[in-house]
Amino acid sequence: MLAYFGPQGTFTEQAALGLGASPDELVPYDTVPAALAATRRGDAEAACVPVENSVEGAVPATMDALTEGEPLVAVAETVLDVRFSVLVRPGGGEVKTVASHPHALAQVRHWLAEHLPAADVVATTSTAAAARAVLAGEFDAAVSAPVAVRHYPLEVLATDVADVRDAKTRFLLLRRPGPPPAPTGQDRTSVVVTATDRVGALSELLTELALRRINLTRIESRPTKGRLGEYRFYIDFDGHVAEPRVGDALAALRRHCPDTRFLGSYPKAEPGGAPVGDEEFVAAAEWVAAVREGRGA
Amino acid sequence: MLAYFGPQGTFTEQAALGLGASPDELVPYDTVPAALAATRRGDAEAACVPVENSVEGAVPATMDALTEGEPLVAVAETVLDVRFSVLVRPGGGEVKTVASHPHALAQVRHWLAEHLPAADVVATTSTAAAARAVLAGEFDAAVSAPVAVRHYPLEVLATDVADVRDAKTRFLLLRRPGPPPAPTGQDRTSVVVTATDRVGALSELLTELALRRINLTRIESRPTKGRLGEYRFYIDFDGHVAEPRVGDALAALRRHCPDTRFLGSYPKAEPGGAPVGDEEFVAAAEWVAAVREGRGA
């Protein structure tokens, strides 16, 4: 069983299918923390949740839920273009009302003004709830994730609808800790580091990465809830924990901040950047071993 | 005239009033970019918009809108606790339906389950739209910003409603560039830095701050739209551009990244941390001047 942030027919379900889940093993949960809790308890083998740049507002919820409670680690990611389908009842006639989540409506405002200028716009609690309401005859059209037509027998009036062409949402597949997926040479590692609020704390951490030529791909700070004077940094960087340079950097972060939590090493959804070799790390470690044993200097 | 991210009766209006605006100069705009555009054109003297941790989903929109187009600078900030009021029609009877923006509904889920367990929950496009719909008799209760009762003659069923006690939203008051507000000793400076995507780029920038003992209060990375291989870093730190150490650090950031944009120096809404003196910066500059003139060594 694979838990996901529901309801059925939203982008998160689409992401889970894109990550190789079969439709009959997917179980929707009302919230991101609920999907993660099911995975922590062992009710689900894994959870698929949005982490970045989402249309559905779940990002801080995901980061907080990953940091609190028992550890979970990411084993895969996927990135979806945020492009909506507009769904209507078969033979439904004129579109007088269009429904969706307010975030989705905000992202198709120009499209609606051009293509359905006379339609009233109505909010729903999710893009999938809009599709259900159209099926029930409450509204005439729904702005939904393309996957919604899997669940609701609606007709597709338009696809690929988005005012902003480059909006994307990133999703992670999370499991209880276990051996990470094998390195592919195009991997990402995610960590959350809790640091005391003092001058230079973050600078020291990033210097540890830069000194090892590790490329940062994302950073975000959040104050810790209820613990004044502490900050959390969510950091993504290129590389895999199995690689000597990344293992060495993680050890350095952990020395600085004992609360450092590993959030996973997994293949990048959009590979890019030349892999950095670990030859000088291996050679340097061998040299130190040789010096210690009196075999070199 | 002061523009704000509307509609009337939301937390952003409440923030604008808290920043000293008088109710009759406030004009709501549909989107954050529209409020900023009105200020850039000179139709409005200033704009009040959410920047961080918002319930209304506007944060990335604000950061992107501040970076693109003509510069605007923050002259004040305010932080609001996210606590809702539940509003009903006077003498309205049993509450069978409760309406609000999906983000607000998500933040009062437990309260609703405890206090209005039988009520159906309905989404609206904003917390203020919910209040209007209750006034129109469409729904029985609205979960709204406390300021909503200024505009809609509704009765307050409950105040201070929030499942999570420490949710806050930060707002900025933005103007066209001009002399910044005078330093208070408890100021914050905001910048956005566009850096090429190479190993160590951010580490160098943060080292420039750490070397000057400047305390970082927030950092967030975002890929630049449409320009691959570049990242934007939104950075807030303690201090005021008028202070020698901060001016020196800003000059260093600008040397590294010519696209560095100043987003303002303004008093912190929640003062904290001992001010750092600039004596050694002044003394060191005087020493260099003396050496150059042959008055010292």
Side-chain angles (χ1 to χ4, degrees):
Chain A
M1 197 264 269
L2 195 152
Y4 70 98
F5 173 45
Q8 279 194 332
T10 60
F11 281 102
T12 310
E13 185 192 13
Q14 192 158 338
L17 293 171
L19 285 165
S22 77
D24 53 343
E25 66 175 329
L26 289 175
V27 177
Y29 282 78
D30 276 353
T31 63
V32 167
L36 300 186
T39 310
R40 288 187 172 114
R41 282 194 308 270
D43 293 351
E45 269 168 54
C48 182
V49 298
V51 282
E52 200 179 347
N53 215 7
S54 168
V55 276
E56 304 194 359
V59 181
T62 299
M63 302 319 286
D64 289 345
L66 278 178
T67 310
E68 293 151 14
E70 289 299 302
L72 292 174
V73 294
V75 294
E77 70 168 7
T78 189
V79 173
L80 292 186
D81 287 331
V82 181
R83 308 262 174 103
F84 299 92
S85 292
V86 179
L87 306 178
V88 294
R89 278 183 306 284
E94 193 192 348
V95 174
K96 292 181 182 162
T97 49
V98 182
S100 195
H101 189 283
H103 278 181
L105 292 172
Q107 294 186 54
V108 299
R109 187 189 293 256
H110 297 304
W111 189 93
L112 292 177
E114 189 179 338
H115 295 89
L116 295 170
D120 280 335
V121 167
V122 187
T124 52
T125 52
S126 71
T127 56
R132 274 200 303 278
V134 167
L135 196 63
E138 290 177 53
F139 310 118
D140 300 324
V143 178
S144 296
V147 75
V149 291
R150 292 180 68 102
H151 300 288
Y152 311 106
L154 294 169
E155 205 168 275
V156 179
L157 184 69
T159 57
D160 207 31
V161 173
D163 295 347
V164 176
R165 301 311 296 176
D166 55 4
K168 290 170 190 282
T169 302
R170 188 161 74 98
F171 300 85
L172 293 179
L173 186 68
L174 298 149
R175 294 182 187 274
R176 290 184 298 284
T184 65
Q186 288 286 341
D187 302 293
R188 194 192 310 283
T189 293
S190 297
V191 292
V192 54
V193 182
T194 304
T196 50
D197 185 10
R198 62 172 178 75
V199 169
L202 180 60
S203 173
E204 286 172 11
L205 299 176
L206 298 192
T207 298
E208 296 284 8
L209 299 180
L211 289 173
R212 292 172 179 83
R213 291 198 281 135
I214 289 173
N215 187 42
L216 194 79
T217 56
R218 177 173 168 243
I219 183 164
E220 200 179 321
S221 66
R222 280 175 70 72
T224 51
K225 282 190 195 160
R227 290 199 289 178
L228 284 172
E230 283 192 352
Y231 266 78
R232 278 182 198 154
F233 301 106
Y234 295 95
I235 303 175
D236 288 351
F237 52 82
D238 286 347
H240 190 290
V241 62
E243 295 164 11
R245 84 175 56 241
V246 173
D248 201 56
L250 287 173
L253 298 184
R254 183 85 176 189
R255 286 195 301 270
H256 287 282
C257 300
D259 276 345
T260 297
R261 179 178 280 199
F262 177 65
L263 297 180
S265 289
Y266 46 88
K268 288 199 277 188
E270 297 170 328
V276 183
D278 274 311
E279 297 76 12
E280 82 269 32
F281 271 76
V282 174
E286 285 170 357
W287 176 77
V288 172
V291 168
R292 282 177 174 162
E293 292 167 15
R295 291 186 288 110
Chain B
M1 196 263 267
L2 194 150
Y4 70 97
F5 174 45
Q8 281 194 332
T10 59
F11 281 102
T12 310
E13 184 192 14
Q14 192 158 336
L17 293 170
L19 285 166
S22 78
D24 53 344
E25 66 174 329
L26 290 176
V27 177
Y29 283 78
D30 276 353
T31 63
V32 167
L36 299 185
T39 310
R40 288 187 171 116
R41 283 194 307 270
D43 294 352
E45 271 168 54
C48 182
V49 297
V51 282
E52 199 179 348
N53 215 7
S54 167
V55 274
E56 303 194 1
V59 182
T62 299
M63 302 320 284
D64 289 346
L66 278 177
T67 310
E68 293 151 14
E70 290 298 303
L72 291 173
V73 293
V75 295
E77 71 167 9
T78 188
V79 174
L80 292 186
D81 287 330
V82 181
R83 308 262 174 104
F84 299 92
S85 292
V86 179
L87 307 178
V88 294
R89 280 183 304 284
E94 193 192 345
V95 174
K96 292 181 184 162
T97 50
V98 183
S100 195
H101 189 283
H103 279 182
L105 292 172
Q107 294 187 54
V108 299
R109 187 190 291 257
H110 296 304
W111 189 93
L112 291 177
E114 189 177 341
H115 295 88
L116 295 170
D120 280 334
V121 167
V122 187
T124 53
T125 53
S126 71
T127 57
R132 276 200 303 279
V134 167
L135 196 63
E138 290 176 54
F139 310 118
D140 300 325
V143 177
S144 297
V147 75
V149 291
R150 292 179 68 103
H151 300 288
Y152 310 106
L154 294 169
E155 206 168 274
V156 179
L157 183 69
T159 57
D160 208 32
V161 173
D163 294 346
V164 176
R165 302 311 297 174
D166 55 3
K168 291 170 190 280
T169 302
R170 189 161 74 98
F171 300 84
L172 293 179
L173 187 67
L174 298 149
R175 293 181 188 275
R176 289 184 298 285
T184 65
Q186 287 287 339
D187 302 294
R188 192 192 314 280
T189 293
S190 296
V191 291
V192 54
V193 182
T194 304
T196 50
D197 184 11
R198 62 171 179 77
V199 169
L202 179 60
S203 173
E204 286 173 11
L205 299 176
L206 298 191
T207 299
E208 295 284 8
L209 299 180
L211 289 172
R212 292 172 178 84
R213 290 198 282 137
I214 289 172
N215 187 41
L216 193 79
T217 58
R218 177 175 168 242
I219 183 163
E220 200 179 321
S221 66
R222 279 173 72 71
T224 51
K225 282 191 194 158
R227 289 198 289 178
L228 284 173
E230 283 191 353
Y231 264 77
R232 279 183 195 150
F233 301 106
Y234 295 95
I235 303 174
D236 289 349
F237 51 83
D238 286 347
H240 191 290
V241 62
E243 295 164 11
R245 86 174 55 240
V246 174
D248 202 56
L250 287 174
L253 297 184
R254 184 86 175 185
R255 286 195 303 270
H256 286 282
C257 300
D259 276 345
T260 297
R261 179 178 280 197
F262 177 66
L263 296 180
S265 289
Y266 46 88
K268 287 198 277 190
E270 296 171 328
V276 183
D278 275 311
E279 298 76 13
E280 81 271 30
F281 271 75
V282 175
E286 285 170 357
W287 175 78
V288 172
V291 169
R292 282 176 173 163
E293 293 167 14
R295 291 187 289 107

